[in-house]
Amino acid sequence: MRVNVPLEKAYLLLNHGPTLLVTATDGGKPNVMASAWNTALDLDPPKIAIVLSGESHTRHLIDRSHELALSIPSSEIADLVLSVGKTTGAEIDKFDRFKIRTFPAKKVGAPLIDGCLGWLECRVIPEPRIAKTYDLLIAEVVSAQVVKGMFGPDGWIFAPKGVATIHHLGKGRFAVPSRTLIAKKK
Amino acid sequence: MRVNVPLEKAYLLLNHGPTLLVTATDGGKPNVMASAWNTALDLDPPKIAIVLSGESHTRHLIDRSHELALSIPSSEIADLVLSVGKTTGAEIDKFDRFKIRTFPAKKVGAPLIDGCLGWLECRVIPEPRIAKTYDLLIAEVVSAQVVKGMFGPDGWIFAPKGVATIHHLGKGRFAVPSRTLIAKKK
């Protein structure tokens, strides 16, 4: 079951640096790619920054629609994240090929990916020179959802050894935050 | 013991989204702050993007020196990361107050923090409008080091339940990636 996250808490979905699935559509076939290079950028209204190659098919769809969606995958679908990261939507329909189930977003056209732990819907803030020079997009978050029970007022709640977000270390190896440490101010 | 990381592999230090310590100096007293909002931005030459409030003391030092250093803290010093994130260098000398040991960087003036797992030295690429509008800085990585034995050709190597990077979930709670999952392409 999914629940809405208040927009001023949306940054907490990305605060710990998870690897993401990025979806986009220009009204035709949507596409999906993986992203490790992203960060929260602002609190309220929430913004994000994300690096997406100007040569990628998903980026072409975003450049035409000015929208994207971020799905935050769980450790249960790491194989899928690697697979969509290693293929291009210019050549195959990844949704068909990898049997990816989706559901409609609330505010944007891009589909959201089932089996994930959280979802952010975003509208691109036009910064064409930065997008062209650095492949860096800036976007406002217009909707945020999480799986019920995994997110509290202070952010993600991961059970020890339980399902959690994944964090790409490189070459298909993902770090999984299976331990939570409570720090104390000195 | 510290070893150099080839610059084209420097992005792997940040690829999995760790929380960082940021240091800077303008030639006088240095300062240190915490950063969860950052990302790798490019491979070669390596670049990073980092969100640093225009009102922070560290940012003032960076705006004057056009340099910064990133130290990647280990789970053993999470209390320190929370503490430097909750105080301002405009009021106290955090290095004195929290007994932070440092050592000299190779290419920049900012000190590097002892007890961390990796270090990146960066020179700011001037993008004044983006810095002012979004508090977002873009910088080139000019030196990268890691603790010997914790980083291989494909990135970080974290032993199960061992020392690892920390990833701020919110309110002093840090996720620790003490499990590594090897994904397989479908």
Side-chain angles (χ1 to χ4, degrees), chain B residues 41-57:
Chain B
L41 177 64
D42 209 346
L43 294 171
D44 193 11
K47 298 187 191 75
I48 61 110
I50 186 164
V51 185
L52 294 170
S53 165
E55 292 168 12
S56 71
H57 185 57

Side-chain angles (χ1 to χ4, degrees), chain A residues 82-112:
Chain A
L82 186 68
S83 301
V84 305
K86 292 277 187 194
T87 48
T88 171
E91 290 169 7
I92 61 163
D93 181 328
K94 299 191 202 180
F95 295 93
D96 268 4
R97 171 72 180 76
F98 301 119
K99 299 183 175 56
I100 302 172
R101 288 164 304 152
T102 64
F103 60 95
K106 296 186 170 192
K107 301 279 184 81
V108 302
L112 305 182

